[in-house]
């Protein structure tokens, strides 16, 4: 168990009950299957045109990736490619990730979460992922021992994320520089081709980690 109250419990509390379901919301069939032997669930937030999602699903047939993208034109480009590749372990979702996760995901149900090259929100730092109250809810959906992988080319964004992971969220985390030959996303390819540095922060949820949303469930 946590040795002392988490710092995030002093922060403004996220209010999931105030979020309406996304338009035309329905849970994917993979989430309706209660079989304990079903594939581990992976979530990608902000999948863009789907370069990482398509590659991940193709190379990890034993895992099921739910890839969420809010922007219509990016999602349509991604969905078209996903349809062509016909990967059974990939579920494209067109929605705001926060509202969708609130209404779709059960507590302690996600093995891994990818947030690759999010909007740096340099003029609105409160909207950076680890600065948001929602991050506590996101952690409640993550399994014990699960991990969140964040990548960015903005060093100050990574500095803040690393600090927040340690001081606020109390998460063990490893910061690494992304290899120059990595090609996970279109942004990553572009940044590395310009000889920019990119960083990755891998955060793990410890055994016994508690949030204020561990028992919270969206009403049907």
């Amino acid at each position: 168990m946590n040795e002392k109250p988490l710092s995030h419990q002093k922060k403004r509390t996220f209010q999931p009950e105030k979020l309406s379901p996304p338009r035309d919301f329905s849970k994917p069939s993979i989430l309706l299957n209660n079989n304990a032997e079903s594939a581990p669930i992976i979530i990608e937030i902000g999948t863009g045109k789907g370069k990482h999602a398509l590659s991940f699903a193709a190379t990890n047939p034993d895992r099921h990736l739910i890839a969420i993208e809010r922007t219509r034109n990016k999602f349509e480009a991604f969905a078209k490619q996903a349809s062509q590749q016909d990967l059974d372990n990939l579920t494209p979702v067109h929605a705001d990730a926060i509202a969708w996760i609130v209404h779709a995901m059960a507590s302690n149900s996600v093995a891994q979460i990818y947030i690759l090259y999010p909007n740096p929100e340099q003029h609105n730092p409160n909207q950076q992922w680890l600065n948001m109250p929602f991050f506590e809810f996101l952690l409640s959906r993550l399994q014990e021992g699960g991990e969140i992988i964040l990548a960015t080319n903005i060093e100050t964004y990574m500095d803040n994320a690393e600090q927040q992971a340690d001081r606020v969220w109390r998460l063990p985390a490893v910061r690494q520089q992304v290899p120059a030959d990595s090609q996970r996303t279109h942004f990553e390819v572009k940044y590395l081709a310009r000889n920019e540095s990119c960083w990755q922060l891998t955060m793990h949820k410890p055994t016994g980690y508690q949030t204020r949303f561990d028992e919270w469930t969206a009403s049907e």
Side-chain angles (χ1 to χ4, degrees), residues 59-76:
T59 56
N60 293 275
D62 59 333
R63 293 173 167 247
H64 193 102
L65 176 62
I66 299 173
I68 310 170
E69 174 55 43
R70 180 176 60 184
T71 306
R72 177 173 295 278
N73 63 341
K74 291 180 180 179
F75 175 79
E76 289 177 349

Side-chain angles (χ1 to χ4, degrees), residues 113-118 120 122 130 148-163 173-182 184-185 187-189 191-192 194-203:
I113 299 170
Y114 283 91
I115 309 175
L116 303 178
Y117 302 94
Q122 291 174 296
L130 276 81
I148 298 179
I149 297 173
L150 172 73
T152 182
N153 67 317
I154 307 295
E155 188 170 12
T156 54
Y157 190 110
M158 181 54 65
D159 290 342
N160 175 72
E162 185 177 24
Q163 178 177 294
V174 176
R175 176 174 175 167
Q176 299 171 301
Q177 190 161 342
V178 175
D181 61 351
S182 186
R184 289 178 296 186
T185 77
F187 282 126
E188 190 166 81
V189 170
Y191 298 145
L192 293 173
R194 298 194 305 218
N195 294 319
E196 295 184 23
S197 295
C198 296
W199 292 270
Q200 174 174 302
L201 190 69
T202 303
M203 297 161 274

